[in-house]
Amino acid sequence: GEMGPVIDGRSLERILGYIERSEKEEGAKILLDGREWTRTNAKGNWIGPTVILHENKTDAAMNEEVFGPVLSVYHVSTWQEAIAIENANPFGNAAAVYTSNGGHAEWFVKRVRASMLGVNIGIPVPREPFSFGGLYGTKSKFGDMDITGDGAIEFFTNRIKITSRWPAPSAPEYMAGLAEERQSQQLQEDEEKKGDDGHVDHANFAGTM
């Protein structure tokens, strides 16, 4: 198929545990059961895509990271209820909404509490130069930076600051050149101030000479 096994046996057992608990302890309905992959593939840590229809929004698979091909479904009565469930979650990595109405999408993205938001995209991971990372104040954000984008560049960059002050040069060559430069500038200014009669007007805007 297009999906490989999970990383190890411990991961497989953890995923199976969430599915078993949802079905047998929490009263959820398994709409698509990926455990058949586990039963028919003795070699390897296989678990197929699984869809769980929950009756209770406090079910473990609804509130914890399963790290497996498990999708939880829960029907809400209002949009506000959906936002309340999402924003009560301790994680703040990503959220997505599927709709054909732009106004509906805008309503959700303005209210959901997550760092990466997707509209009609299930895994809203932005491309460079934008960063991948969670939201401050949640369990999806650790430290001051994200792991990609400008945050990663800043993390691996040493900023070296140099503050300098140099006195005016006093070498004879510099002083001689400075005098010539000032004389040239004065001659240019005098040339610009000459009137039609060739007289240089030395008056300034204060009316003094």
Side-chain angles (χ1 to χ4, degrees), residues 1 6 33 66 115 133 173-174:
V6 296
D33 196 344
V66 179
S115 181
E173 297 83 359
Y174 170 77

Side-chain angles (χ1 to χ4, degrees), residues 2-200:
E2 297 181 355
M3 187 175 67
V6 296
I7 191 169
D8 57 28
R10 291 178 60 187
S11 178
L12 176 62
E13 290 301 319
R14 184 174 186 273
I15 297 169
L16 292 173
Y18 277 107
I19 301 172
E20 295 286 335
R21 178 176 174 180
S22 297
E23 181 182 34
K24 297 181 179 179
E25 299 179 21
E26 298 169 336
K29 182 179 180 181
I30 308 301
L31 300 182
L32 179 64
D33 196 344
R35 290 174 292 184
E36 183 63 25
W37 287 30
T38 307
R39 291 188 286 266
T40 57
N41 292 277
K43 295 182 178 180
N45 305 299
W46 295 91
I47 177 69
T50 301
V51 179
I52 305 174
L53 177 60
H54 295 273
E55 295 293 332
N56 194 328
K57 60 186 177 183
T58 61
D59 288 356
M62 281 274 295
N63 293 277
E64 300 173 12
E65 291 187 289
V66 179
F67 287 108
V70 178
L71 176 67
S72 290
V73 178
Y74 180 78
H75 292 293
V76 297
S77 300
T78 65
W79 291 4
Q80 289 79 2
E81 183 184 2
I83 291 295
I85 293 173
E86 170 64 23
N87 293 351
N89 193 287
F91 303 103
N93 194 42
V97 58
Y98 284 83
T99 177
S100 58
N101 188 304
H104 296 174
E106 184 178 10
W107 190 93
F108 278 96
V109 298
K110 283 185 175 181
R111 290 165 174 79
V112 71
R113 187 200 61 158
S115 181
M116 299 181 295
L117 308 179
V119 177
N120 299 324
I121 295 178
I123 305 178
V125 177
R127 293 298 306 270
E128 299 78 6
F130 302 103
S131 295
F132 173 95
L135 197 68
Y136 281 113
T138 71
K139 291 184 177 181
S140 298
K141 180 76 171 183
F142 298 93
D144 295 327
M145 303 175 188
D146 291 326
I147 62 175
T148 60
D150 54 356
I153 295 174
E154 182 69 19
F155 181 82
F156 288 103
T157 298
N158 287 321
R159 291 181 176 268
I160 300 174
K161 283 73 65 177
I162 300 175
T163 304
S164 301
R165 180 182 180 276
W166 297 94
S170 59
E173 297 83 359
Y174 170 77
M175 299 305 294
L178 181 61
E180 293 179 1
E181 182 180 351
R182 288 176 175 174
Q183 184 179 12
S184 176
Q185 289 177 349
Q186 186 63 51
L187 291 173
Q188 182 178 357
E189 291 175 1
D190 290 346
E191 189 67 26
E192 293 175 352
K193 292 179 180 180
K194 281 184 179 181
D196 295 337
D197 58 356
H199 177 72
V200 178

